Amino acid sequence: MTLDERIETIFPKIEDVPEKFFLKSSVSQKEYLINGELRVWEGKTQEVLSPISLVTSSGLSKITLGSYPILTENESAEALEAAKIAYNNGRGLWPALPVYDRINYMEGFLKRMKSSKKEIVALLMWEIGKPFHEAEREFDRTVDYITNSVEAMKFLNRTSSQFVIEKGIIGQIRRAPLGVVLCMGPFNYPLNESFTTLIPALLTGNTVIFKPPKIGVLLHYHLLKAFRDSFPPGVVNTVYGEGSQVITPLIVSGEIDMLAYIGSSRVADILKSGHPRPHRFRAVLGLEAKNPAIILPDADLDITIPECIEGSLSFNGQRCTALKILFVHHDIAGRFLDKFSEAIGNVSIGMPWHENVMITPLPVTGKTEYLSRLITDARAYGAQILNPCGGKVNHTFMYPALVFPVNKHMRLYSEEQFGPVVPVVPYDDIEVPIHYIVESSYAQQVSIFGNNQDTIGRLLDVLVNQVCRVNINSKCQRGPDIFPFAGRKDSGEGTLSVSDALRAFSVRTIVAATETAKNKTIFQRIVRERRSNFLSTDVIP
Ligand code: G3H
């Protein structure tokens, strides 16, 4: 079969779907979690369609995966009330619990979560088109993240269990929760990225209102009961629906203490500016990026090509960390482009259950049309598509496009495409990519490909003051999750990692006293007689 024909017949018939991956039933979610109760919604719902269509005798047919509630301002207000009561100005059961007990609750949740792996992985495949192996990786990575966060929490607790004596003052410094946290994750990592904020927010003693992303929402249904059963009432509450209905009222109430949002800077700005007392409103934000690769003239193409293919095209380029523009030195451009085009031809395309598939249908409505417009615009300014069938569309599927030469007049030069389109800019002077990075609205990561330690050393010294991670002969990526993940400019605010997140969702707090004999005795008695959860020398093993 030719490549054209493979793309034209990319969607399966029902009998082509392996039984193992067949969704036995749709998920008609009526429930939402508030104050430890699964309340039943009788109002409007949102139908969820899969990006995967099936070939039928009457053409392509969309698959309905289920539906979820479109809540209103009223339910959102109930969620806020429940979270506030559970927090109770820091006096609620959850924020006042010893860390050890919160960890026990979390471990109970983790156990329940692990039993839902099959259903969650299946929905990751059908809701967002994530390849099976990557969906499994997302689930396992999230489990590891929770386990590692628990260990980091124990470590933080151990290291804060000592007393500090300085200039006649004795004190114990620990971390205390901030209040009610609003967590909102993105569609491309609907489980993992949501949980990289939700889990540390909970572990540090905050109560949470969680809004799953609009796409990738049904998979969370399988965890609702686990949330209900694993945590005290009001500690986790969920809302669904239009942001203007369920999120804006929360923000303008001024009662949300912290926003953890992974999405666009446009929405982040709207949310942040809606708070009546902005100085009280903390935020951790993971936003857009346009991570460049700089391919130096001496780059080893046997390393560079696979890293750039993975970096730009894994999960269709729908990663905030994806390589979204490649700067290639003129001396190596010809060889690089030939090999890159050939490598695209070897990338596996198809449905999420196909082994090692990289390119699958795209879940965002209108995405292939948007990407096609970017390609048309680039062509109008003189670019060509270098690989066979590049940019060919079949409904929600787009075959990767290698676009060259890209220049600053094209939208692809500065817009975050978040899809399988790879723009390549040729350069002679290293100041060209440096200037691009300095001028860019985004500043998350960069990859340098080259062989000379002197050139790389000098270049990375320039780049570390522009972005938050410089990768050498390696694609851009978030992991391993113990590494700090951050962005400058429009790419983010705050730092996430297993240990950084615990800090982001809490504030350093000290209990201090003048070092008198009387105060020492009070401290000793509080500790010895276990009169306080905060002031304690207990060490969690
Ligand atoms: O979409 C942004 C993700 O945090 C990227 O994570 O680099 O591990 O794919 P990743």
Side-chain angles (χ1 to χ4, degrees):
M1 210 190 277
T2 65
L3 183 54
D4 263 312
E5 287 164 345
R6 282 174 58 210
I7 297 168
E8 280 155 19
T9 56
I10 200 86
F11 290 104
K13 294 194 187 112
I14 193 155
E15 56 268 30
D16 299 331
V17 182
E19 191 163 348
K20 177 181 169 196
F21 297 110
F22 212 81
L23 274 188
K24 303 279 180 299
S25 57
S26 63
V27 182
S28 298
Q29 179 178 344
K30 289 274 188 193
E31 297 92 338
Y32 56 105
L33 178 63
I34 290 190
N35 200 29
E37 297 162 18
L38 288 183
R39 298 187 182 167
V40 178
W41 175 243
E42 300 294 356
K44 214 170 120 191
T45 55
Q46 174 66 51
E47 185 182 38
V48 178
L49 296 173
S50 174
I52 302 163
S53 297
L54 289 178
V55 178
T56 67
S57 51
S58 51
L60 270 191
S61 165
K62 287 192 180 295
I63 305 169
T64 303
L65 300 175
S67 58
Y68 63 85
I70 297 287
L71 302 181
T72 70
E73 201 167 324
N74 297 336
E75 294 71 40
S76 165
E78 288 170 16
L80 176 59
E81 196 54 21
K84 273 172 58 188
I85 290 173
Y87 191 69
N88 190 19
N89 296 310
R91 301 176 69 187
L93 168 68
W94 188 249
L97 267 186
V99 170
Y100 177 76
D101 292 326
R102 281 207 294 269
I103 286 175
N104 277 342
Y105 279 98
M106 186 59 78
E107 287 178 337
F109 171 75
L110 181 58
K111 209 164 157 197
R112 290 280 300 268
M113 176 181 161
K114 283 180 183 167
S115 67
S116 298
K117 176 171 175 175
K118 205 169 144 220
E119 292 78 9
I120 291 174
V121 167
L123 279 166
L124 279 168
M125 295 166 70
W126 286 96
E127 272 192 278
I128 62 166
K130 188 162 270 198
F132 174 61
H133 59 278
E134 287 192 38
E136 280 210 309
R137 207 180 302 146
E138 176 167 351
F139 187 91
D140 295 340
R141 178 179 179 178
T142 309
V143 166
D144 288 347
Y145 194 92
I146 299 176
T147 310
N148 294 336
S149 296
V150 163
E151 287 310 311
M153 193 71 203
K154 288 181 186 171
F155 179 76
L156 197 60
N157 197 262
R158 275 199 295 275
T159 53
S160 342
S161 62
Q162 293 173 344
F163 285 90
V164 181
I165 302 176
E166 181 71 25
K167 294 191 174 151
I169 309 273
I170 180 165
Q172 192 181 44
I173 307 158
R174 289 188 180 278
R175 302 198 74 91
L178 297 166
V180 177
V181 177
L182 173 62
C183 291
M184 297 164 71
F187 83 83
N188 63 332
Y189 277 95
L191 178 73
N192 182 260
E193 293 231 281
S194 301
F195 277 34
T196 58
T197 62
L198 192 137
I199 299 299
L202 290 174
L203 273 174
T204 44
N206 304 281
T207 60
V208 165
I209 301 173
F210 170 43
K211 180 180 182 289
K214 272 190 181 165
I215 310 173
V217 59
L218 292 180
L219 60 101
H220 292 285
Y221 180 59
H222 290 286
L223 295 173
L224 271 192
K225 285 188 181 147
F227 276 130
R228 179 196 62 187
D229 300 341
S230 309
F231 297 104
V235 171
V236 181
N237 307 278
T238 60
V239 293
Y240 311 86
E242 286 306 320
S244 58
Q245 289 294 303
V246 295
I247 297 301
T248 309
L250 293 176
I251 306 284
V252 298
S253 75
E255 307 275 11
I256 301 289
D257 299 289
M258 179 157 182
L259 170 69
Y261 171 69
I262 318 285
S264 72
S265 58
R266 188 189 63 81
V267 172
D269 283 347
I270 295 171
L271 295 177
K272 283 190 73 170
S273 59
H275 198 284
R277 283 163 293 186
H279 61 276
R280 285 199 188 185
F281 194 35
R282 296 192 182 212
V284 172
L285 308 172
L287 307 172
E288 317 88 284
K290 181 97 179 164
N291 292 340
I294 303 175
I295 294 133
L296 298 167
D298 62 348
D300 178 344
L301 291 184
D302 290 340
I303 294 167
T304 308
I305 297 289
E307 287 292 324
C308 287
I309 287 279
E310 267 279 322
S312 58
L313 292 176
S314 62
F315 190 32
N316 310 299
Q318 298 170 121
R319 297 161 54 241
C320 61
T321 48
L323 290 174
K324 299 199 179 95
I325 190 159
L326 312 182
F327 287 84
V328 184
H329 193 275
H330 263 123
D331 288 356
I332 200 174
R335 279 191 298 131
F336 175 86
L337 292 165
D338 286 349
K339 281 180 180 271
F340 199 88
S341 169
E342 191 187 326
I344 292 179
N346 294 327
V347 160
S348 177
I349 62 172
M351 294 299 120
W353 51 83
H354 292 142
E355 213 176 323
N356 295 325
V357 70
M358 197 184 267
I359 306 298
T360 55
L362 306 173
V364 174
T365 310
K367 191 65 193 243
T368 52
E369 291 84 346
Y370 165 74
L371 294 170
S372 300
R373 283 197 295 277
L374 290 186
I375 292 173
T376 306
D377 169 76
R379 278 184 151 145
Y381 286 100
Q384 291 180 330
I385 295 186
L386 298 188
N387 61 311
C389 294
K392 186 177 166 89
V393 169
N394 180 357
H395 291 81
T396 52
F397 181 89
M398 177 182 260
Y399 191 73
L402 177 61
V403 186
F404 178 86
V406 164
N407 62 46
K408 64 180 177 195
H409 303 293
M410 303 170 188
R411 290 171 63 189
L412 263 177
Y413 188 78
S414 48
E415 266 178 54
E416 185 196 35
Q417 66 271 36
F418 219 77
V421 179
V422 188
V424 181
V425 184
Y427 75 91
D428 277 319
D429 183 350
I430 194 63
E431 284 301 324
V432 171
I434 293 175
H435 179 76
Y436 175 86
I437 292 167
V438 170
E439 292 298 314
S440 173
S441 302
Y442 309 117
Q444 190 198 60
Q445 300 190 15
V446 61
S447 289
I448 304 171
F449 292 92
N451 255 325
N452 182 289
Q453 64 277 18
D454 183 43
T455 319
I456 294 175
R458 277 186 284 116
L459 185 53
L460 79 84
D461 277 354
V462 175
L463 297 177
V464 286
N465 288 350
Q466 304 299 326
V467 298
C468 292
R469 175 163 163 167
V470 177
N471 302 279
I472 312 290
N473 291 322
S474 317
K475 66 181 184 196
C476 295
Q477 60 184 320
R478 175 177 175 149
D481 288 325
I482 57 149
F483 281 9
F485 179 56
R488 295 170 181 249
K489 298 194 243 180
D490 292 353
S491 289
E493 179 178 335
T495 303
L496 290 173
S497 77
V498 166
S499 55
D500 285 302
L502 297 174
R503 291 176 170 80
F505 289 98
S506 58
V507 61
R508 264 160 62 96
T509 304
I510 176 166
V511 174
T514 313
E515 196 192 2
T516 61
K518 197 167 177 187
N519 283 342
K520 274 187 180 170
T521 306
I522 290 174
F523 268 35
Q524 275 164 357
R525 286 188 177 158
I526 289 175
V527 169
R528 200 176 306 134
E529 296 168 22
R530 294 206 154 78
R531 300 287 177 184
S532 164
N533 288 337
F534 185 98
L535 201 72
S536 157
T537 51
D538 281 356
V539 169
I540 306 173

